[in-house]
Amino acid sequence: MTEQPEHQLTLDDLAQRLSDFAAARRWQPFHTPKNLAAALTVEAGELLEIFQWLTPDQATAVMADPERAHRVRDEVADVLAYLVQFCTVLGIDPLAALAAKIDRNELRFPVPEE
Amino acid sequence: MTEQPEHQLTLDDLAQRLSDFAAARRWQPFHTPKNLAAALTVEAGELLEIFQWLTPDQATAVMADPERAHRVRDEVADVLAYLVQFCTVLGIDPLAALAAKIDRNELRFPVPEE
Amino acid sequence: MTEQPEHQLTLDDLAQRLSDFAAARRWQPFHTPKNLAAALTVEAGELLEIFQWLTPDQATAVMADPERAHRVRDEVADVLAYLVQFCTVLGIDPLAALAAKIDRNELRFPVPEE
Amino acid sequence: MTEQPEHQLTLDDLAQRLSDFAAARRWQPFHTPKNLAAALTVEAGELLEIFQWLTPDQATAVMADPERAHRVRDEVADVLAYLVQFCTVLGIDPLAALAAKIDRNELRFPVPEE
């Protein structure tokens, strides 16, 4: 299965789908900021777990193995899902937060002169 | 400072900015999938750290304190930055991965009948 | 199954058992400090996962459920195993490190006067 | 500074010191199992942070730099402190849990025949 680039997808649309998903299952009481931050950390750990014993070469080639590639995409999705839900619950715009951080980092880490 | 909703921003644009940023500083050799997965987990932990001793009420009100709100946005940005860079390095479309996961979860967790 | 207090056990003995275990299976090449630090973080996340959606009351009562109690002990063991192996590989005495830290914290956080 | 092996130290003694420390500062209400599991994960991430951009050779030599060595020992102490306090709060004997896990792993991963 090749990964379909779905460039029409936006993070906002997915945030809305995740909100609707949780609401339909009445999961909102569990989705406190603290629980979502914990779940995000747990899922990040699960992504790292795939790599923990791999050599750098094995890690770079991880997407060549279909089963591992699926697992990596699945954990990426989990991390992003909890990050987006965390942001929704606290009213944070994650793209604006990242843009502002890149702005700050451009000042903090100037490009070295040749 | 109010958070400007910048709805024109896309994750793709930010991924490109992050790539350019790392390339200009010659940081790519450090940005292996394994290192980025580790950095992602570390940053998720830093986000969780803000909440670890808070009561549920304090956690829910975290954005009311400007300094804490800034710290939360800053850690959200770091998590998202490493997730996006991880995806870029491995050729993963994070929005497509999340959309596919939501599709799977809709089958896995059917909405309970009333 | 009640938990047998085995007070004759020492952390040094377990560190030796873990070293012998890894050596017999030729796992030492994987047990670099960086890999062990990653594995430690992953296992800590797995311990946290047990608690992530629990209310404070459910979390406090977690050992009353035999299956969950087993899982908690199992993850505690994994965290401690990787921490001990990390220390062995780097020549760190974890008990001395903790004693020194408590000493420092007693100065840093004086007991409040009544 | 060489690290003094203090073999008279036991994990039980340190667990007691940590309990007394928290009690004297009235920190017990914060030391719920869930909060301690979160803090453990956060501290494991801080230990990993030291290694995240290091090459394998740099990681192996981390204790040769006194400042980094101190930071590593400090994070090891924090991880162990939260693990021990977690165990105290839930009535878990961490050494017994680890011994039992090694027993299980010896069955699960037999030593390969030559």
Side-chain angles (χ1 to χ4, degrees), chain B residues 64-97:
Chain B
D65 175 76
E67 197 190 338
R68 265 191 187 151
H70 176 79
R71 212 176 136 207
V72 169
R73 276 198 206 92
D74 197 56
E75 298 298 350
V76 162
D78 284 338
V79 171
L80 186 55
Y82 285 124
L83 182 66
V84 165
Q85 291 175 290
F86 175 88
C87 287
T88 299
V89 165
L90 289 181
I92 294 167
D93 179 335
L95 298 182

PDB file of all heavy atoms in Angstrom, chain B residues 64-97:
ATOM      1  N   ALA B  64      -4.481  30.149  32.048  1.00  0.00           N
ATOM      2  CA  ALA B  64      -4.838  31.436  32.646  1.00  0.00           C
ATOM      3  C   ALA B  64      -3.612  32.168  33.192  1.00  0.00           C
ATOM      4  O   ALA B  64      -3.652  33.380  33.409  1.00  0.00           O
ATOM      5  CB  ALA B  64      -5.862  31.226  33.768  1.00  0.00           C
ATOM      6  N   ASP B  65      -2.548  31.430  33.421  1.00  0.00           N
ATOM      7  CA  ASP B  65      -1.308  32.037  33.904  1.00  0.00           C
ATOM      8  C   ASP B  65      -0.402  32.271  32.707  1.00  0.00           C
ATOM      9  O   ASP B  65       0.028  31.320  32.047  1.00  0.00           O
ATOM     10  CB  ASP B  65      -0.649  31.086  34.915  1.00  0.00           C
ATOM     11  CG  ASP B  65       0.705  31.579  35.391  1.00  0.00           C
ATOM     12  OD1 ASP B  65       0.727  32.505  36.220  1.00  0.00           O
ATOM     13  OD2 ASP B  65       1.732  31.054  34.909  1.00  0.00           O
ATOM     14  N   PRO B  66      -0.093  33.564  32.404  1.00  0.00           N
ATOM     15  CA  PRO B  66       0.623  33.853  31.145  1.00  0.00           C
ATOM     16  C   PRO B  66       1.965  33.134  31.025  1.00  0.00           C
ATOM     17  O   PRO B  66       2.324  32.656  29.954  1.00  0.00           O
ATOM     18  CB  PRO B  66       0.803  35.374  31.189  1.00  0.00           C
ATOM     19  CG  PRO B  66      -0.250  35.873  32.114  1.00  0.00           C
ATOM     20  CD  PRO B  66      -0.448  34.792  33.134  1.00  0.00           C
ATOM     21  N   GLU B  67       2.684  33.037  32.132  1.00  0.00           N
ATOM     22  CA  GLU B  67       4.004  32.414  32.062  1.00  0.00           C
ATOM     23  C   GLU B  67       3.877  30.916  31.774  1.00  0.00           C
ATOM     24  O   GLU B  67       4.580  30.370  30.923  1.00  0.00           O
ATOM     25  CB  GLU B  67       4.743  32.645  33.389  1.00  0.00           C
ATOM     26  CG  GLU B  67       6.236  32.409  33.278  1.00  0.00           C
ATOM     27  CD  GLU B  67       6.893  32.405  34.653  1.00  0.00           C
ATOM     28  OE1 GLU B  67       6.304  32.987  35.600  1.00  0.00           O
ATOM     29  OE2 GLU B  67       7.972  31.796  34.779  1.00  0.00           O
ATOM     30  N   ARG B  68       2.952  30.279  32.521  1.00  0.00           N
ATOM     31  CA  ARG B  68       2.723  28.846  32.269  1.00  0.00           C
ATOM     32  C   ARG B  68       2.172  28.614  30.863  1.00  0.00           C
ATOM     33  O   ARG B  68       2.532  27.650  30.196  1.00  0.00           O
ATOM     34  CB  ARG B  68       1.721  28.295  33.285  1.00  0.00           C
ATOM     35  CG  ARG B  68       2.393  27.659  34.468  1.00  0.00           C
ATOM     36  CD  ARG B  68       1.361  26.895  35.294  1.00  0.00           C
ATOM     37  NE  ARG B  68       1.971  26.428  36.524  1.00  0.00           N
ATOM     38  CZ  ARG B  68       1.314  26.236  37.653  1.00  0.00           C
ATOM     39  NH1 ARG B  68       0.007  26.483  37.707  1.00  0.00           N
ATOM     40  NH2 ARG B  68       1.934  25.788  38.718  1.00  0.00           N
ATOM     41  N   ALA B  69       1.273  29.508  30.441  1.00  0.00           N
ATOM     42  CA  ALA B  69       0.692  29.355  29.100  1.00  0.00           C
ATOM     43  C   ALA B  69       1.791  29.402  28.043  1.00  0.00           C
ATOM     44  O   ALA B  69       1.801  28.610  27.091  1.00  0.00           O
ATOM     45  CB  ALA B  69      -0.350  30.448  28.850  1.00  0.00           C
ATOM     46  N   HIS B  70       2.739  30.308  28.243  1.00  0.00           N
ATOM     47  CA  HIS B  70       3.850  30.399  27.292  1.00  0.00           C
ATOM     48  C   HIS B  70       4.661  29.103  27.284  1.00  0.00           C
ATOM     49  O   HIS B  70       5.038  28.591  26.231  1.00  0.00           O
ATOM     50  CB  HIS B  70       4.761  31.573  27.646  1.00  0.00           C
ATOM     51  CG  HIS B  70       5.964  31.657  26.763  1.00  0.00           C
ATOM     52  ND1 HIS B  70       5.927  32.175  25.493  1.00  0.00           N
ATOM     53  CD2 HIS B  70       7.242  31.204  26.937  1.00  0.00           C
ATOM     54  CE1 HIS B  70       7.127  32.066  24.934  1.00  0.00           C
ATOM     55  NE2 HIS B  70       7.932  31.485  25.795  1.00  0.00           N
ATOM     56  N   ARG B  71       4.893  28.580  28.480  1.00  0.00           N
ATOM     57  CA  ARG B  71       5.694  27.353  28.595  1.00  0.00           C
ATOM     58  C   ARG B  71       4.970  26.175  27.921  1.00  0.00           C
ATOM     59  O   ARG B  71       5.599  25.368  27.232  1.00  0.00           O
ATOM     60  CB  ARG B  71       5.916  27.053  30.091  1.00  0.00           C
ATOM     61  CG  ARG B  71       7.234  26.386  30.386  1.00  0.00           C
ATOM     62  CD  ARG B  71       7.425  26.218  31.893  1.00  0.00           C
ATOM     63  NE  ARG B  71       7.943  24.902  32.215  1.00  0.00           N
ATOM     64  CZ  ARG B  71       7.739  24.266  33.363  1.00  0.00           C
ATOM     65  NH1 ARG B  71       7.022  24.834  34.318  1.00  0.00           N
ATOM     66  NH2 ARG B  71       8.247  23.065  33.561  1.00  0.00           N
ATOM     67  N   VAL B  72       3.655  26.120  28.124  1.00  0.00           N
ATOM     68  CA  VAL B  72       2.885  25.039  27.505  1.00  0.00           C
ATOM     69  C   VAL B  72       2.977  25.143  25.978  1.00  0.00           C
ATOM     70  O   VAL B  72       3.275  24.165  25.285  1.00  0.00           O
ATOM     71  CB  VAL B  72       1.407  25.078  27.963  1.00  0.00           C
ATOM     72  CG1 VAL B  72       0.556  24.128  27.127  1.00  0.00           C
ATOM     73  CG2 VAL B  72       1.299  24.729  29.443  1.00  0.00           C
ATOM     74  N   ARG B  73       2.756  26.365  25.449  1.00  0.00           N
ATOM     75  CA  ARG B  73       2.829  26.536  23.984  1.00  0.00           C
ATOM     76  C   ARG B  73       4.215  26.195  23.458  1.00  0.00           C
ATOM     77  O   ARG B  73       4.361  25.638  22.376  1.00  0.00           O
ATOM     78  CB  ARG B  73       2.485  27.976  23.609  1.00  0.00           C
ATOM     79  CG  ARG B  73       1.003  28.226  23.489  1.00  0.00           C
ATOM     80  CD  ARG B  73       0.728  29.512  22.685  1.00  0.00           C
ATOM     81  NE  ARG B  73      -0.568  30.022  23.120  1.00  0.00           N
ATOM     82  CZ  ARG B  73      -0.715  30.905  24.107  1.00  0.00           C
ATOM     83  NH1 ARG B  73       0.337  31.411  24.730  1.00  0.00           N
ATOM     84  NH2 ARG B  73      -1.921  31.284  24.451  1.00  0.00           N
ATOM     85  N   ASP B  74       5.216  26.571  24.249  1.00  0.00           N
ATOM     86  CA  ASP B  74       6.601  26.323  23.833  1.00  0.00           C
ATOM     87  C   ASP B  74       6.886  24.812  23.756  1.00  0.00           C
ATOM     88  O   ASP B  74       7.527  24.337  22.813  1.00  0.00           O
ATOM     89  CB  ASP B  74       7.530  26.988  24.866  1.00  0.00           C
ATOM     90  CG  ASP B  74       8.934  27.155  24.349  1.00  0.00           C
ATOM     91  OD1 ASP B  74       9.099  27.786  23.286  1.00  0.00           O
ATOM     92  OD2 ASP B  74       9.871  26.661  24.997  1.00  0.00           O
ATOM     93  N   GLU B  75       6.386  24.069  24.718  1.00  0.00           N
ATOM     94  CA  GLU B  75       6.618  22.616  24.707  1.00  0.00           C
ATOM     95  C   GLU B  75       5.772  21.940  23.626  1.00  0.00           C
ATOM     96  O   GLU B  75       6.221  20.972  22.997  1.00  0.00           O
ATOM     97  CB  GLU B  75       6.342  22.005  26.086  1.00  0.00           C
ATOM     98  CG  GLU B  75       7.237  22.512  27.209  1.00  0.00           C
ATOM     99  CD  GLU B  75       8.730  22.225  27.016  1.00  0.00           C
ATOM    100  OE1 GLU B  75       9.090  21.456  26.101  1.00  0.00           O
ATOM    101  OE2 GLU B  75       9.537  22.791  27.771  1.00  0.00           O
ATOM    102  N   VAL B  76       4.556  22.421  23.414  1.00  0.00           N
ATOM    103  CA  VAL B  76       3.744  21.914  22.295  1.00  0.00           C
ATOM    104  C   VAL B  76       4.511  22.094  20.988  1.00  0.00           C
ATOM    105  O   VAL B  76       4.578  21.177  20.152  1.00  0.00           O
ATOM    106  CB  VAL B  76       2.387  22.645  22.230  1.00  0.00           C
ATOM    107  CG1 VAL B  76       1.730  22.472  20.867  1.00  0.00           C
ATOM    108  CG2 VAL B  76       1.457  22.150  23.342  1.00  0.00           C
ATOM    109  N   ALA B  77       5.111  23.266  20.830  1.00  0.00           N
ATOM    110  CA  ALA B  77       5.873  23.545  19.606  1.00  0.00           C
ATOM    111  C   ALA B  77       7.052  22.580  19.468  1.00  0.00           C
ATOM    112  O   ALA B  77       7.328  22.076  18.378  1.00  0.00           O
ATOM    113  CB  ALA B  77       6.362  24.993  19.613  1.00  0.00           C
ATOM    114  N   ASP B  78       7.734  22.316  20.570  1.00  0.00           N
ATOM    115  CA  ASP B  78       8.891  21.406  20.511  1.00  0.00           C
ATOM    116  C   ASP B  78       8.458  19.994  20.130  1.00  0.00           C
ATOM    117  O   ASP B  78       9.112  19.331  19.323  1.00  0.00           O
ATOM    118  CB  ASP B  78       9.616  21.380  21.864  1.00  0.00           C
ATOM    119  CG  ASP B  78      10.466  22.623  22.091  1.00  0.00           C
ATOM    120  OD1 ASP B  78      10.831  23.290  21.098  1.00  0.00           O
ATOM    121  OD2 ASP B  78      10.772  22.926  23.260  1.00  0.00           O
ATOM    122  N   VAL B  79       7.375  19.521  20.741  1.00  0.00           N
ATOM    123  CA  VAL B  79       6.880  18.177  20.409  1.00  0.00           C
ATOM    124  C   VAL B  79       6.513  18.117  18.932  1.00  0.00           C
ATOM    125  O   VAL B  79       6.924  17.195  18.204  1.00  0.00           O
ATOM    126  CB  VAL B  79       5.655  17.811  21.281  1.00  0.00           C
ATOM    127  CG1 VAL B  79       5.010  16.517  20.791  1.00  0.00           C
ATOM    128  CG2 VAL B  79       6.055  17.674  22.748  1.00  0.00           C
ATOM    129  N   LEU B  80       5.763  19.104  18.481  1.00  0.00           N
ATOM    130  CA  LEU B  80       5.324  19.101  17.082  1.00  0.00           C
ATOM    131  C   LEU B  80       6.525  19.217  16.142  1.00  0.00           C
ATOM    132  O   LEU B  80       6.590  18.539  15.104  1.00  0.00           O
ATOM    133  CB  LEU B  80       4.326  20.241  16.844  1.00  0.00           C
ATOM    134  CG  LEU B  80       3.669  20.285  15.464  1.00  0.00           C
ATOM    135  CD1 LEU B  80       2.978  18.975  15.115  1.00  0.00           C
ATOM    136  CD2 LEU B  80       2.661  21.438  15.385  1.00  0.00           C
ATOM    137  N   ALA B  81       7.504  20.047  16.511  1.00  0.00           N
ATOM    138  CA  ALA B  81       8.695  20.224  15.661  1.00  0.00           C
ATOM    139  C   ALA B  81       9.432  18.893  15.474  1.00  0.00           C
ATOM    140  O   ALA B  81       9.797  18.531  14.355  1.00  0.00           O
ATOM    141  CB  ALA B  81       9.632  21.271  16.271  1.00  0.00           C
ATOM    142  N   TYR B  82       9.632  18.156  16.566  1.00  0.00           N
ATOM    143  CA  TYR B  82      10.367  16.896  16.426  1.00  0.00           C
ATOM    144  C   TYR B  82       9.524  15.852  15.707  1.00  0.00           C
ATOM    145  O   TYR B  82      10.050  15.035  14.948  1.00  0.00           O
ATOM    146  CB  TYR B  82      10.866  16.399  17.784  1.00  0.00           C
ATOM    147  CG  TYR B  82      12.053  17.200  18.275  1.00  0.00           C
ATOM    148  CD1 TYR B  82      12.038  17.828  19.507  1.00  0.00           C
ATOM    149  CD2 TYR B  82      13.187  17.340  17.477  1.00  0.00           C
ATOM    150  CE1 TYR B  82      13.126  18.578  19.948  1.00  0.00           C
ATOM    151  CE2 TYR B  82      14.273  18.090  17.902  1.00  0.00           C
ATOM    152  CZ  TYR B  82      14.239  18.702  19.131  1.00  0.00           C
ATOM    153  OH  TYR B  82      15.311  19.444  19.553  1.00  0.00           O
ATOM    154  N   LEU B  83       8.227  15.864  15.936  1.00  0.00           N
ATOM    155  CA  LEU B  83       7.366  14.906  15.232  1.00  0.00           C
ATOM    156  C   LEU B  83       7.408  15.179  13.725  1.00  0.00           C
ATOM    157  O   LEU B  83       7.540  14.250  12.919  1.00  0.00           O
ATOM    158  CB  LEU B  83       5.929  15.010  15.761  1.00  0.00           C
ATOM    159  CG  LEU B  83       4.940  14.014  15.142  1.00  0.00           C
ATOM    160  CD1 LEU B  83       5.304  12.577  15.530  1.00  0.00           C
ATOM    161  CD2 LEU B  83       3.508  14.317  15.585  1.00  0.00           C
ATOM    162  N   VAL B  84       7.311  16.439  13.353  1.00  0.00           N
ATOM    163  CA  VAL B  84       7.318  16.809  11.931  1.00  0.00           C
ATOM    164  C   VAL B  84       8.670  16.465  11.300  1.00  0.00           C
ATOM    165  O   VAL B  84       8.730  15.908  10.202  1.00  0.00           O
ATOM    166  CB  VAL B  84       6.994  18.307  11.786  1.00  0.00           C
ATOM    167  CG1 VAL B  84       7.349  18.814  10.395  1.00  0.00           C
ATOM    168  CG2 VAL B  84       5.514  18.560  12.082  1.00  0.00           C
ATOM    169  N   GLN B  85       9.753  16.756  12.012  1.00  0.00           N
ATOM    170  CA  GLN B  85      11.083  16.460  11.455  1.00  0.00           C
ATOM    171  C   GLN B  85      11.299  14.954  11.333  1.00  0.00           C
ATOM    172  O   GLN B  85      11.871  14.474  10.342  1.00  0.00           O
ATOM    173  CB  GLN B  85      12.161  17.100  12.333  1.00  0.00           C
ATOM    174  CG  GLN B  85      12.133  18.626  12.223  1.00  0.00           C
ATOM    175  CD  GLN B  85      13.101  19.294  13.166  1.00  0.00           C
ATOM    176  OE1 GLN B  85      12.911  19.286  14.383  1.00  0.00           O
ATOM    177  NE2 GLN B  85      14.144  19.861  12.628  1.00  0.00           N
ATOM    178  N   PHE B  86      10.834  14.207  12.314  1.00  0.00           N
ATOM    179  CA  PHE B  86      10.882  12.740  12.240  1.00  0.00           C
ATOM    180  C   PHE B  86      10.157  12.273  10.981  1.00  0.00           C
ATOM    181  O   PHE B  86      10.657  11.419  10.238  1.00  0.00           O
ATOM    182  CB  PHE B  86      10.219  12.173  13.502  1.00  0.00           C
ATOM    183  CG  PHE B  86      10.085  10.680  13.512  1.00  0.00           C
ATOM    184  CD1 PHE B  86      11.113   9.874  14.010  1.00  0.00           C
ATOM    185  CD2 PHE B  86       8.930  10.062  13.041  1.00  0.00           C
ATOM    186  CE1 PHE B  86      10.988   8.489  14.019  1.00  0.00           C
ATOM    187  CE2 PHE B  86       8.803   8.687  13.053  1.00  0.00           C
ATOM    188  CZ  PHE B  86       9.831   7.894  13.535  1.00  0.00           C
ATOM    189  N   CYS B  87       8.984  12.809  10.739  1.00  0.00           N
ATOM    190  CA  CYS B  87       8.192  12.407   9.570  1.00  0.00           C
ATOM    191  C   CYS B  87       8.893  12.799   8.267  1.00  0.00           C
ATOM    192  O   CYS B  87       8.913  12.018   7.315  1.00  0.00           O
ATOM    193  CB  CYS B  87       6.795  13.033   9.637  1.00  0.00           C
ATOM    194  SG  CYS B  87       5.738  12.263  10.888  1.00  0.00           S
ATOM    195  N   THR B  88       9.478  13.981   8.235  1.00  0.00           N
ATOM    196  CA  THR B  88      10.185  14.425   7.033  1.00  0.00           C
ATOM    197  C   THR B  88      11.335  13.471   6.711  1.00  0.00           C
ATOM    198  O   THR B  88      11.504  13.040   5.563  1.00  0.00           O
ATOM    199  CB  THR B  88      10.734  15.852   7.236  1.00  0.00           C
ATOM    200  OG1 THR B  88       9.636  16.733   7.471  1.00  0.00           O
ATOM    201  CG2 THR B  88      11.511  16.327   6.012  1.00  0.00           C
ATOM    202  N   VAL B  89      12.103  13.135   7.731  1.00  0.00           N
ATOM    203  CA  VAL B  89      13.281  12.284   7.530  1.00  0.00           C
ATOM    204  C   VAL B  89      12.874  10.898   7.017  1.00  0.00           C
ATOM    205  O   VAL B  89      13.593  10.292   6.223  1.00  0.00           O
ATOM    206  CB  VAL B  89      14.074  12.190   8.856  1.00  0.00           C
ATOM    207  CG1 VAL B  89      15.077  11.059   8.819  1.00  0.00           C
ATOM    208  CG2 VAL B  89      14.783  13.513   9.131  1.00  0.00           C
ATOM    209  N   LEU B  90      11.728  10.410   7.451  1.00  0.00           N
ATOM    210  CA  LEU B  90      11.304   9.057   7.045  1.00  0.00           C
ATOM    211  C   LEU B  90      10.262   9.075   5.923  1.00  0.00           C
ATOM    212  O   LEU B  90       9.762   8.010   5.531  1.00  0.00           O
ATOM    213  CB  LEU B  90      10.755   8.286   8.254  1.00  0.00           C
ATOM    214  CG  LEU B  90      11.797   7.857   9.282  1.00  0.00           C
ATOM    215  CD1 LEU B  90      11.133   7.087  10.426  1.00  0.00           C
ATOM    216  CD2 LEU B  90      12.888   6.987   8.647  1.00  0.00           C
ATOM    217  N   GLY B  91       9.930  10.247   5.398  1.00  0.00           N
ATOM    218  CA  GLY B  91       8.984  10.297   4.285  1.00  0.00           C
ATOM    219  C   GLY B  91       7.556   9.933   4.670  1.00  0.00           C
ATOM    220  O   GLY B  91       6.794   9.387   3.879  1.00  0.00           O
ATOM    221  N   ILE B  92       7.177  10.262   5.900  1.00  0.00           N
ATOM    222  CA  ILE B  92       5.828   9.983   6.392  1.00  0.00           C
ATOM    223  C   ILE B  92       4.982  11.248   6.291  1.00  0.00           C
ATOM    224  O   ILE B  92       5.458  12.337   6.618  1.00  0.00           O
ATOM    225  CB  ILE B  92       5.882   9.516   7.865  1.00  0.00           C
ATOM    226  CG1 ILE B  92       6.586   8.160   7.961  1.00  0.00           C
ATOM    227  CG2 ILE B  92       4.489   9.453   8.482  1.00  0.00           C
ATOM    228  CD1 ILE B  92       6.966   7.773   9.378  1.00  0.00           C
ATOM    229  N   ASP B  93       3.734  11.099   5.863  1.00  0.00           N
ATOM    230  CA  ASP B  93       2.775  12.211   5.877  1.00  0.00           C
ATOM    231  C   ASP B  93       1.979  12.101   7.182  1.00  0.00           C
ATOM    232  O   ASP B  93       1.122  11.226   7.317  1.00  0.00           O
ATOM    233  CB  ASP B  93       1.848  12.098   4.663  1.00  0.00           C
ATOM    234  CG  ASP B  93       0.810  13.215   4.614  1.00  0.00           C
ATOM    235  OD1 ASP B  93       0.473  13.780   5.663  1.00  0.00           O
ATOM    236  OD2 ASP B  93       0.317  13.506   3.513  1.00  0.00           O
ATOM    237  N   PRO B  94       2.258  12.956   8.158  1.00  0.00           N
ATOM    238  CA  PRO B  94       1.621  12.779   9.467  1.00  0.00           C
ATOM    239  C   PRO B  94       0.105  12.957   9.429  1.00  0.00           C
ATOM    240  O   PRO B  94      -0.612  12.275  10.180  1.00  0.00           O
ATOM    241  CB  PRO B  94       2.298  13.832  10.351  1.00  0.00           C
ATOM    242  CG  PRO B  94       2.879  14.838   9.414  1.00  0.00           C
ATOM    243  CD  PRO B  94       3.202  14.103   8.147  1.00  0.00           C
ATOM    244  N   LEU B  95      -0.382  13.856   8.567  1.00  0.00           N
ATOM    245  CA  LEU B  95      -1.839  14.059   8.510  1.00  0.00           C
ATOM    246  C   LEU B  95      -2.516  12.821   7.910  1.00  0.00           C
ATOM    247  O   LEU B  95      -3.570  12.385   8.390  1.00  0.00           O
ATOM    248  CB  LEU B  95      -2.163  15.313   7.697  1.00  0.00           C
ATOM    249  CG  LEU B  95      -1.612  16.624   8.263  1.00  0.00           C
ATOM    250  CD1 LEU B  95      -2.047  17.806   7.395  1.00  0.00           C
ATOM    251  CD2 LEU B  95      -2.049  16.845   9.707  1.00  0.00           C
ATOM    252  N   ALA B  96      -1.912  12.246   6.877  1.00  0.00           N
ATOM    253  CA  ALA B  96      -2.471  11.018   6.299  1.00  0.00           C
ATOM    254  C   ALA B  96      -2.415   9.872   7.306  1.00  0.00           C
ATOM    255  O   ALA B  96      -3.357   9.070   7.400  1.00  0.00           O
ATOM    256  CB  ALA B  96      -1.704  10.643   5.025  1.00  0.00           C
ATOM    257  N   ALA B  97      -1.326   9.802   8.078  1.00  0.00           N
ATOM    258  CA  ALA B  97      -1.209   8.738   9.090  1.00  0.00           C
ATOM    259  C   ALA B  97      -2.314   8.881  10.132  1.00  0.00           C
ATOM    260  O   ALA B  97      -2.930   7.890  10.551  1.00  0.00           O
ATOM    261  CB  ALA B  97       0.168   8.804   9.749  1.00  0.00           C
TER     262      ALA B  97
END
